[in-house]
Amino acid sequence: MGQVSRKLKKYILGIALGIALMCGKESYAQYNREYFFWVGRSCMMNNDYQEAIRTLNTLLRFDEDAFEGYFLRGIAKYNLDDLLGAEDDFSTAIRLNPVYTQAYTYRAITRSRLGNYDDALQDFREAIELRPDLPGPYYSRGVTRLLNQQFKEAIDDFDKFIRQENKVADAFICRGLSYLHLKDTVRAYDNFNTAIRTNRENPGGYNRRGGLYMEQKRFAEAEADFNKAIECDSAYLLSYFNRALVYSDTNRPMLALADFDKVIQLDSTNSLTYFNRAMLRTQIGDYNRALDDYDKVALYSPNNVLVYYNRAGVYAQLGEIERAVEDYTSAIKLYPDFANAYIYRGRLRELLRDPQGAKEDRSIAQRKIAEYRSRLNDSTYSIYADTTQRFDRLLSFDSKFAGGSFDRITGHNGGHEEMRLLPLFKFTLMRPDSVPAAKPYHLQRVDDFKKRIGNEYLTLSCRESNIAPDTLVMLDKQYVQELNASNPAWTVLFERAVTQSLIKQYTNSVSTYSSAIELNPSNPFLYLNRSTTRAEMIDFISSIDNSYQRITIDSDPANRLNNNSKRTYSYDEAVADLNKAIKLFPDLAYSYYNRANLKALSGSLPEAFEDYTKAIELNPNFAEAYYNRGIIQIFMKDTRKGCLDISKAGELGIVEAYEVLKRYAPLEK
């Protein structure tokens, strides 16, 4: 009956809209304007956002200055996760009515979700200046400041909100989180308690307090809080997951497995849950089902080193030695500095009657461990991953809970959809037939450098080399022999550094580049390549290392927060190398392009834009620079100009451009 009535209501509304349209533009503007507003609002109250947009589109065709229409349509788009479209509509509403407080507030919230915190905060300032008596903007600005890690300022905003509205539990939760990040656990605890007293049906307060208890090893109290959160909301995934961690830490693996089963029942694509369940199943000897879980993780996260490393251990327990060796080898291919993978593969090679292979693995492992320990206090290698540790404890979640793969847990997307920049340029080894066709960009100094090196496969490219790994290892051994036979020439050191980087021996590669620079400090290309290797090392190691940090999740999916306790990675040294390269050779477009990439990854989008622009000035056919500049312009909310740049990149041969255009070009009206 309900479905019939909804259909009838929609039919009647359709007739009414048709009649309204027949009235003509003049009568509509005079009489039917409010009717269309009413229909649009009614649709949104019923969560029929698409119908609301269709209705408001009709209104705006007849009245282009109806700022409230753009505002309402922006809200509808926001609820459909069309954040760029929502931002555009809120901007239009503001342009038509510069004192529209709500439009500033909603655009700020939208920009915050997009990770554009600076512009969001500016919008909040405008809204608060217009209406300092309204409490809502203070709360929303506090959330944005919390996300932007401005914890003291966030507390100030939550204080102002709470003075006017002291019955909103989420305000106390967010203020508690701010104190928690300032290491003030006492005030964090007090705020979580107040949130619970304010609204005993809100699972977020219990979940947050439970997380604090869990950090303090107060497992019984943490468990009680997670139980209460689940009582409040039986589909509250976070508390099932967190309670599983408590069960695991208190030696109750079967209960932990049951909670992980519940999480997977509610979210069947979550890699981290499968990974944790696999480790638990391994601990209780359920090896076959552990393998099933690891297979799921490998399917969702094929480049995650730990999947192969841990699965190899399970195969070894089952006596499938060859398959275990294959998985350890896969882990090593993904990360050649993985000391423990060499150690365990060496032990298995002994069982396979391969004493020479076992000896080589032990030797490599000892060298890797020694390198790590010797470089702990060296800032150049401060980001070197400790791969001597065991990786057998359960991992905690961050904000990428629903369906996210855990090897991307700490992605730098700031809440918006991840879009990858095209890679850095470097001198690499490439077979000529694999080099993509492009319009000529020749510099005599580059040609002279390649001639000086004398390697026919040496090319300047951002593409992945197609030289086989075995060939690269063989080349590396040849360079070692050459370097041992005579006084090292900077050219040979350079070639060896290139091969080391290609087989992911990043730390050794940086050292070799440094040795070459000592012999030839005025060569810009040595700095260019060392910079690229340093950046690649950071990107690779961060994907492994950050997964082991304890991360928390905000209760509100719209207000997600990464824990500030995780290690951070700086591109400063890589940028310094590029600065040196630019000083030595200011006409090389690739140096500006690379620096732009690193600035973008560091969050300095305006500076990145300037460097991409400089690269394009030097090389007007620089397809990759157009593409990446387009991407960051989309991130900076200039979708139209961004799409124009990406279109130019497609015109110049970047095939990835058209997938981006399919997604974003329709947003431009």
Coordinates of all heavy atoms in Angstrom, one line a residue, residues 270-326:
N270 N 36.3 -5.7 3.0 CA 37.3 -5.1 3.8 C 38.5 -5.9 4.0 O 38.6 -6.9 4.8 CB 36.7 -4.7 5.2 CG 37.6 -3.7 5.9 OD1 38.5 -4.1 6.6 ND2 37.4 -2.4 5.6
S271 N 39.6 -5.5 3.4 CA 40.9 -6.2 3.4 C 41.5 -6.4 4.8 O 42.0 -7.5 5.2 CB 41.9 -5.6 2.5 OG 41.5 -5.5 1.2
L272 N 41.4 -5.3 5.6 CA 42.1 -5.4 6.9 C 41.4 -6.4 7.8 O 42.1 -7.1 8.6 CB 42.1 -4.0 7.6 CG 42.7 -3.9 8.9 CD1 44.2 -4.3 8.9 CD2 42.7 -2.4 9.4
T273 N 40.1 -6.5 7.8 CA 39.4 -7.5 8.6 C 39.8 -8.9 8.2 O 40.1 -9.8 9.0 CB 37.9 -7.3 8.5 OG1 37.6 -6.0 8.8 CG2 37.2 -8.2 9.5
Y274 N 39.9 -9.2 6.9 CA 40.4 -10.5 6.4 C 41.8 -10.8 6.9 O 42.1 -11.9 7.3 CB 40.3 -10.6 4.9 CG 38.9 -10.8 4.3 CD1 38.3 -9.7 3.6 CD2 38.2 -12.0 4.5 CE1 37.0 -9.9 3.0 CE2 37.0 -12.1 3.9 CZ 36.4 -11.1 3.2 OH 35.1 -11.3 2.7
F275 N 42.6 -9.7 6.8 CA 44.0 -9.9 7.2 C 44.1 -10.2 8.7 O 44.8 -11.2 9.1 CB 44.8 -8.6 6.9 CG 46.2 -8.7 7.2 CD1 47.1 -9.1 6.2 CD2 46.8 -8.3 8.4 CE1 48.5 -9.2 6.4 CE2 48.2 -8.3 8.6 CZ 49.0 -8.8 7.6
N276 N 43.4 -9.5 9.5 CA 43.4 -9.8 11.0 C 42.8 -11.2 11.3 O 43.3 -11.9 12.1 CB 42.6 -8.8 11.7 CG 43.5 -7.5 12.0 OD1 44.7 -7.5 11.7 ND2 42.9 -6.5 12.6
R277 N 41.7 -11.5 10.6 CA 41.1 -12.9 10.8 C 42.1 -14.0 10.4 O 42.2 -15.0 11.0 CB 39.8 -13.0 10.1 CG 39.0 -14.2 10.5 CD 37.6 -14.2 9.9 NE 37.6 -14.4 8.5 CZ 36.5 -14.6 7.8 NH1 35.3 -14.5 8.4 NH2 36.5 -14.8 6.5
A278 N 42.8 -13.7 9.3 CA 43.8 -14.7 8.9 C 44.9 -14.9 9.9 O 45.3 -16.1 10.2 CB 44.5 -14.3 7.5
M279 N 45.4 -13.8 10.5 CA 46.4 -14.0 11.6 C 45.9 -14.7 12.8 O 46.5 -15.6 13.4 CB 46.9 -12.6 12.0 CG 47.9 -12.0 11.0 SD 48.8 -10.6 11.6 CE 47.5 -9.4 11.6
L280 N 44.6 -14.5 13.2 CA 44.0 -15.2 14.3 C 43.8 -16.7 14.0 O 44.1 -17.5 14.8 CB 42.6 -14.6 14.6 CG 42.7 -13.4 15.6 CD1 41.2 -12.9 15.8 CD2 43.3 -13.7 16.9
R281 N 43.4 -16.9 12.8 CA 43.2 -18.3 12.4 C 44.5 -19.1 12.3 O 44.6 -20.3 12.7 CB 42.5 -18.4 11.0 CG 41.0 -18.1 11.1 CD 40.4 -18.0 9.7 NE 38.9 -18.1 9.8 CZ 38.0 -17.9 8.8 NH1 38.5 -17.7 7.6 NH2 36.7 -18.0 9.0
T282 N 45.6 -18.4 12.0 CA 46.9 -19.0 12.0 C 47.3 -19.3 13.4 O 47.9 -20.4 13.7 CB 47.9 -18.0 11.4 OG1 47.5 -17.7 10.0 CG2 49.3 -18.7 11.4
Q283 N 47.0 -18.4 14.4 CA 47.4 -18.6 15.7 C 46.7 -19.8 16.4 O 47.3 -20.4 17.2 CB 47.1 -17.3 16.5 CG 47.9 -16.1 16.2 CD 47.5 -14.8 16.9 OE1 46.7 -14.8 17.8 NE2 48.0 -13.7 16.4
I284 N 45.5 -20.1 15.9 CA 44.8 -21.2 16.5 C 45.0 -22.5 15.7 O 44.4 -23.5 16.0 CB 43.3 -20.9 16.7 CG1 42.6 -20.7 15.4 CG2 43.1 -19.7 17.6 CD1 41.1 -20.6 15.5
G285 N 45.8 -22.4 14.6 CA 46.1 -23.6 13.8 C 45.1 -23.9 12.7 O 45.2 -25.0 12.1
D286 N 44.2 -23.0 12.4 CA 43.2 -23.2 11.4 C 43.9 -22.6 10.1 O 43.4 -21.6 9.5 CB 41.9 -22.4 11.7 CG 40.8 -22.7 10.7 OD1 41.0 -23.5 9.8 OD2 39.7 -22.2 10.9
Y287 N 44.9 -23.4 9.6 CA 45.7 -22.9 8.5 C 45.0 -22.8 7.2 O 45.2 -21.8 6.4 CB 46.9 -23.8 8.3 CG 47.8 -23.8 9.6 CD1 48.2 -25.0 10.2 CD2 48.3 -22.6 10.1 CE1 49.0 -25.0 11.3 CE2 49.1 -22.6 11.3 CZ 49.4 -23.8 11.9 OH 50.2 -23.9 13.0
N288 N 44.1 -23.7 6.9 CA 43.5 -23.7 5.6 C 42.5 -22.5 5.4 O 42.5 -21.8 4.4 CB 42.7 -25.0 5.3 CG 43.6 -26.2 5.1 OD1 44.6 -26.1 4.3 ND2 43.3 -27.3 5.7
R289 N 41.8 -22.2 6.5 CA 40.9 -21.1 6.4 C 41.7 -19.8 6.5 O 41.3 -18.7 5.9 CB 39.8 -21.1 7.5 CG 38.8 -22.2 7.2 CD 37.5 -21.9 7.8 NE 37.5 -22.1 9.2 CZ 36.4 -21.8 10.0 NH1 35.3 -21.3 9.5 NH2 36.5 -21.9 11.3
A290 N 42.9 -19.8 7.1 CA 43.7 -18.6 7.1 C 44.2 -18.3 5.7 O 44.3 -17.2 5.3 CB 44.9 -18.9 8.0
L291 N 44.5 -19.4 5.0 CA 44.9 -19.2 3.6 C 43.8 -18.6 2.8 O 44.1 -17.8 1.9 CB 45.4 -20.6 3.0 CG 46.7 -21.1 3.4 CD1 47.0 -22.5 2.8 CD2 47.9 -20.2 3.0
D292 N 42.6 -19.1 3.0 CA 41.4 -18.5 2.3 C 41.4 -17.0 2.5 O 41.1 -16.2 1.6 CB 40.1 -19.1 2.7 CG 40.0 -20.6 2.3 OD1 40.7 -21.0 1.4 OD2 39.2 -21.3 2.9
D293 N 41.6 -16.5 3.8 CA 41.5 -15.1 4.1 C 42.7 -14.4 3.4 O 42.5 -13.3 2.9 CB 41.6 -14.9 5.6 CG 40.2 -15.1 6.2 OD1 39.2 -15.1 5.5 OD2 40.1 -15.2 7.5
Y294 N 43.9 -14.9 3.5 CA 45.0 -14.3 2.8 C 44.8 -14.2 1.3 O 45.2 -13.2 0.7 CB 46.3 -15.0 3.1 CG 46.9 -14.7 4.5 CD1 47.3 -15.7 5.4 CD2 47.1 -13.3 4.9 CE1 47.8 -15.4 6.6 CE2 47.6 -13.0 6.1 CZ 48.0 -14.1 7.0 OH 48.5 -13.8 8.2
D295 N 44.2 -15.2 0.7 CA 43.9 -15.1 -0.7 C 43.0 -14.0 -1.0 O 43.1 -13.3 -2.0 CB 43.3 -16.4 -1.2 CG 44.3 -17.6 -1.2 OD1 45.5 -17.4 -1.1 OD2 43.8 -18.8 -1.2
K296 N 42.0 -13.7 -0.1 CA 41.1 -12.6 -0.3 C 41.9 -11.3 -0.2 O 41.7 -10.4 -1.0 CB 40.0 -12.6 0.8 CG 38.9 -13.6 0.6 CD 37.9 -13.2 -0.4 CE 36.8 -14.2 -0.6 NZ 36.0 -14.3 0.6
V297 N 42.8 -11.2 0.7 CA 43.5 -9.9 0.9 C 44.4 -9.7 -0.4 O 44.5 -8.6 -0.9 CB 44.4 -10.0 2.1 CG1 45.2 -8.7 2.3 CG2 43.5 -10.2 3.4
A298 N 45.0 -10.8 -0.8 CA 45.9 -10.7 -2.0 C 45.1 -10.3 -3.2 O 45.6 -9.5 -4.1 CB 46.6 -12.0 -2.3
L299 N 43.8 -10.7 -3.3 CA 42.9 -10.3 -4.4 C 42.7 -8.8 -4.3 O 42.7 -8.1 -5.3 CB 41.6 -11.1 -4.3 CG 40.6 -10.7 -5.4 CD1 41.0 -11.1 -6.8 CD2 39.3 -11.4 -5.0
Y300 N 42.3 -8.3 -3.1 CA 42.0 -6.9 -2.9 C 43.2 -6.0 -2.9 O 43.2 -4.8 -3.2 CB 41.2 -6.7 -1.7 CG 39.8 -7.4 -1.7 CD1 39.4 -8.1 -0.5 CD2 39.0 -7.4 -2.8 CE1 38.2 -8.7 -0.5 CE2 37.8 -8.1 -2.8 CZ 37.4 -8.8 -1.7 OH 36.2 -9.4 -1.7
S301 N 44.4 -6.5 -2.4 CA 45.6 -5.7 -2.2 C 46.8 -6.4 -2.7 O 47.6 -6.9 -1.9 CB 45.7 -5.4 -0.7 OG 44.6 -4.8 -0.1
P302 N 46.9 -6.6 -4.0 CA 47.9 -7.5 -4.6 C 49.4 -7.0 -4.4 O 50.3 -7.7 -4.5 CB 47.6 -7.5 -6.1 CG 46.8 -6.2 -6.3 CD 46.0 -6.0 -5.1
N303 N 49.6 -5.7 -4.0 CA 50.9 -5.2 -3.8 C 51.3 -5.0 -2.4 O 52.3 -4.3 -2.1 CB 51.0 -3.8 -4.6 CG 50.9 -3.9 -6.1 OD1 51.5 -4.9 -6.7 ND2 50.2 -3.0 -6.7
N304 N 50.5 -5.6 -1.5 CA 50.8 -5.5 -0.1 C 51.8 -6.6 0.3 O 51.6 -7.8 0.2 CB 49.6 -5.7 0.7 CG 49.8 -5.4 2.2 OD1 50.5 -6.1 2.9 ND2 49.2 -4.3 2.7
V305 N 53.0 -6.2 0.7 CA 54.1 -7.1 1.0 C 53.7 -8.1 2.1 O 54.1 -9.3 2.0 CB 55.4 -6.3 1.5 CG1 56.5 -7.2 1.9 CG2 55.8 -5.3 0.4
L306 N 53.0 -7.7 3.1 CA 52.8 -8.5 4.3 C 51.9 -9.7 3.9 O 51.9 -10.7 4.6 CB 52.1 -7.7 5.4 CG 53.1 -6.7 6.1 CD1 52.4 -6.1 7.3 CD2 54.4 -7.4 6.5
V307 N 51.0 -9.6 2.9 CA 50.2 -10.7 2.5 C 51.0 -11.9 2.2 O 50.8 -13.0 2.6 CB 49.3 -10.2 1.4 CG1 48.5 -11.5 0.9 CG2 48.3 -9.1 1.8
Y308 N 52.0 -11.6 1.3 CA 52.9 -12.7 0.9 C 53.8 -13.2 2.0 O 54.0 -14.4 2.1 CB 53.7 -12.3 -0.4 CG 52.8 -11.7 -1.5 CD1 52.6 -10.4 -1.7 CD2 52.1 -12.6 -2.3 CE1 51.8 -9.9 -2.7 CE2 51.3 -12.1 -3.3 CZ 51.1 -10.8 -3.5 OH 50.3 -10.3 -4.5
Y309 N 54.3 -12.3 2.8 CA 55.2 -12.7 3.9 C 54.4 -13.6 4.9 O 54.9 -14.6 5.3 CB 55.7 -11.4 4.6 CG 56.6 -11.7 5.8 CD1 57.9 -12.1 5.6 CD2 56.0 -11.5 7.0 CE1 58.7 -12.3 6.7 CE2 56.8 -11.7 8.2 CZ 58.1 -12.1 8.0 OH 58.9 -12.3 9.1
N310 N 53.2 -13.2 5.3 CA 52.5 -13.9 6.3 C 51.9 -15.2 5.7 O 51.9 -16.3 6.4 CB 51.3 -13.1 6.9 CG 51.8 -12.1 7.9 OD1 53.0 -11.8 8.0 ND2 50.9 -11.5 8.6
R311 N 51.5 -15.2 4.4 CA 51.0 -16.4 3.8 C 52.1 -17.4 3.6 O 51.8 -18.6 3.8 CB 50.3 -16.1 2.5 CG 49.5 -17.2 1.9 CD 48.7 -16.8 0.7 NE 49.6 -16.4 -0.4 CZ 49.1 -16.0 -1.6 NH1 47.8 -15.9 -1.8 NH2 49.9 -15.7 -2.6
A312 N 53.3 -17.0 3.4 CA 54.4 -17.9 3.3 C 54.6 -18.7 4.6 O 54.8 -19.9 4.5 CB 55.7 -17.1 3.0
G313 N 54.4 -18.0 5.7 CA 54.5 -18.7 7.0 C 53.5 -19.8 7.2 O 53.7 -20.9 7.7
V314 N 52.3 -19.6 6.7 CA 51.2 -20.6 6.7 C 51.5 -21.7 5.8 O 51.4 -22.9 6.2 CB 49.8 -19.9 6.3 CG1 48.7 -21.0 6.4 CG2 49.5 -18.8 7.3
Y315 N 52.0 -21.5 4.6 CA 52.4 -22.5 3.7 C 53.5 -23.4 4.4 O 53.5 -24.6 4.3 CB 52.9 -22.0 2.4 CG 51.8 -21.6 1.4 CD1 51.8 -20.4 0.8 CD2 50.7 -22.5 1.2 CE1 50.8 -20.1 -0.1 CE2 49.7 -22.2 0.3 CZ 49.7 -21.0 -0.4 OH 48.7 -20.6 -1.3
A316 N 54.4 -22.7 5.0 CA 55.5 -23.5 5.7 C 55.0 -24.4 6.8 O 55.4 -25.5 6.9 CB 56.5 -22.5 6.3
Q317 N 54.0 -23.9 7.5 CA 53.4 -24.7 8.6 C 52.7 -25.9 8.0 O 52.6 -27.0 8.6 CB 52.4 -23.9 9.4 CG 53.0 -22.8 10.3 CD 53.7 -23.4 11.5 OE1 53.5 -24.5 11.9 NE2 54.6 -22.6 12.1
L318 N 52.1 -25.8 6.8 CA 51.4 -26.9 6.1 C 52.4 -27.8 5.4 O 52.0 -28.8 4.8 CB 50.4 -26.4 5.2 CG 49.2 -25.7 5.9 CD1 48.3 -25.0 4.8 CD2 48.3 -26.7 6.6
G319 N 53.7 -27.5 5.4 CA 54.7 -28.3 4.7 C 54.7 -28.0 3.2 O 55.4 -28.8 2.5
E320 N 54.1 -27.0 2.7 CA 54.1 -26.6 1.3 C 55.3 -25.7 1.1 O 55.1 -24.5 0.9 CB 52.8 -26.0 0.8 CG 51.6 -27.0 1.0 CD 50.3 -26.4 0.4 OE1 50.4 -25.8 -0.7 OE2 49.3 -26.6 1.0
I321 N 56.5 -26.2 1.1 CA 57.7 -25.4 1.2 C 57.9 -24.6 -0.1 O 58.3 -23.4 -0.1 CB 58.9 -26.3 1.4 CG1 58.7 -27.2 2.7 CG2 60.2 -25.5 1.6 CD1 58.5 -26.4 3.9
E322 N 57.7 -25.2 -1.2 CA 57.9 -24.5 -2.5 C 57.0 -23.3 -2.6 O 57.4 -22.2 -3.0 CB 57.6 -25.4 -3.7 CG 58.7 -26.5 -3.9 CD 58.4 -27.8 -3.1 OE1 57.4 -27.8 -2.3 OE2 59.1 -28.8 -3.2
R323 N 55.7 -23.4 -2.2 CA 54.8 -22.3 -2.3 C 55.2 -21.2 -1.2 O 55.0 -20.0 -1.5 CB 53.4 -22.8 -2.0 CG 52.9 -23.8 -3.0 CD 51.4 -24.1 -2.9 NE 50.6 -23.0 -3.4 CZ 49.3 -23.0 -3.6 NH1 48.6 -24.2 -3.3 NH2 48.6 -22.0 -4.0
A324 N 55.7 -21.7 -0.1 CA 56.2 -20.7 0.9 C 57.4 -19.9 0.3 O 57.4 -18.7 0.5 CB 56.6 -21.4 2.2
V325 N 58.3 -20.6 -0.3 CA 59.4 -19.9 -0.9 C 59.0 -18.9 -2.0 O 59.5 -17.8 -2.1 CB 60.4 -20.9 -1.5 CG1 61.5 -20.2 -2.4 CG2 61.1 -21.7 -0.4
E326 N 58.0 -19.3 -2.8 CA 57.4 -18.4 -3.8 C 56.9 -17.1 -3.2 O 57.1 -16.0 -3.7 CB 56.3 -19.1 -4.6 CG 56.8 -20.2 -5.5 CD 55.6 -20.9 -6.2 OE1 54.5 -20.5 -6.0 OE2 55.9 -21.9 -6.9

